[in-house]
Amino acid sequence: MSDSNPDCVIRRLWPSDREAVQAHFRRLDGASRFQRFFGAVSDDGAAAYAARSLTGAGLVYGAFAGGTLRGLGELRPAGGARLGPEAEAAFTIEAPFRGRGLGTALGRRVAEAGRNAGVRRLHMRVLPGNRPMRALARGLGAELRNAGRETHAVLALAPATMLSLWHEGWNGLFDAVLAMTAGR
């Protein structure tokens, strides 16, 4: 469950969630896709990205509202095959579900996962007109800098603690149970 929205469930996504991820990317409107990918992306292009997203390096988390995937948070290695001190985060929330705390809940979960994986700096690239993403980055405590045609947000993460590792482990067990029962 999300701290800010009790009707929202945040959990890690697995290859078995592929259809839900593809459906999520198909439901994104053109402006949302443009903001996520920094350019126009067709339905086929979005579906192809969605199919690869769960098997690539890094971690993917989903925000479920009413049992349907409505938001996605990705934690990806920056310049390598494994998560390390530098990582990148990207988010999508379907337009009708914005302003309900899904992005904040995803951002916190992605930041916690990064922290526990040894990430010290989490980078987010944001188009200047993407106010919701800028607000999310600021709300997580990121420092925002204009960099030409985009804004670069950097979130400094504290080192993992026994409590943060325990919390993520507990959430991971809960995520696995939810994923296994999702199709029933």
Side-chain angles (χ1 to χ4, degrees):
M1 293 271 188
S2 157
D3 294 340
S4 57
N5 184 341
D7 298 324
C8 169
V9 172
I10 304 294
R11 72 168 174 84
R12 184 168 172 194
L13 299 178
W14 307 95
S16 60
D17 292 305
R18 180 178 160 178
E19 288 180 23
V21 173
Q22 287 177 313
H24 166 69
F25 276 105
R26 277 194 300 272
R27 286 190 299 269
L28 293 176
D29 59 42
S32 297
R33 284 188 196 164
F34 189 91
Q35 289 173 337
R36 167 58 185 87
F37 296 106
F38 286 61
V41 176
S42 68
D43 285 347
D44 290 343
Y49 177 83
R52 292 187 313 270
S53 69
L54 296 172
T55 58
L59 302 169
V60 182
Y61 293 88
F64 292 81
T68 301
L69 181 65
R70 300 298 184 176
L72 198 77
E74 300 175 65
L75 176 64
R76 302 292 183 193
R82 298 181 60 180
L83 290 172
E86 306 281 328
E88 298 176 358
F91 301 91
T92 56
I93 304 292
E94 295 173 21
F97 293 86
R98 292 186 189 140
R100 299 182 185 189
L102 276 68
T104 299
L106 275 171
R108 288 180 182 152
R109 188 73 188 272
V110 165
E112 179 182 49
R115 173 185 184 189
N116 291 330
V119 174
R120 297 305 303 258
R121 291 170 33 105
L122 188 58
H123 300 266
M124 295 169 267
R125 293 175 51 219
V126 185
L127 288 172
N130 190 343
R131 283 189 282 193
M133 185 62 186
R134 291 170 61 91
L136 171 62
R138 260 194 302 280
L140 293 173
E143 178 184 319
L144 278 70
R145 294 186 306 260
N146 289 327
R149 294 185 175 170
E150 66 184 58
T151 298
H152 190 192
V154 180
L155 177 60
L157 300 177
T161 64
M162 290 303 289
L163 182 60
S164 70
L165 292 166
W166 176 86
H167 188 254
E168 186 179 5
W170 178 252
N171 281 335
L173 287 171
F174 187 65
D175 293 351
V177 169
L178 286 175
M180 287 187 288
T181 61
R184 294 179 184 176

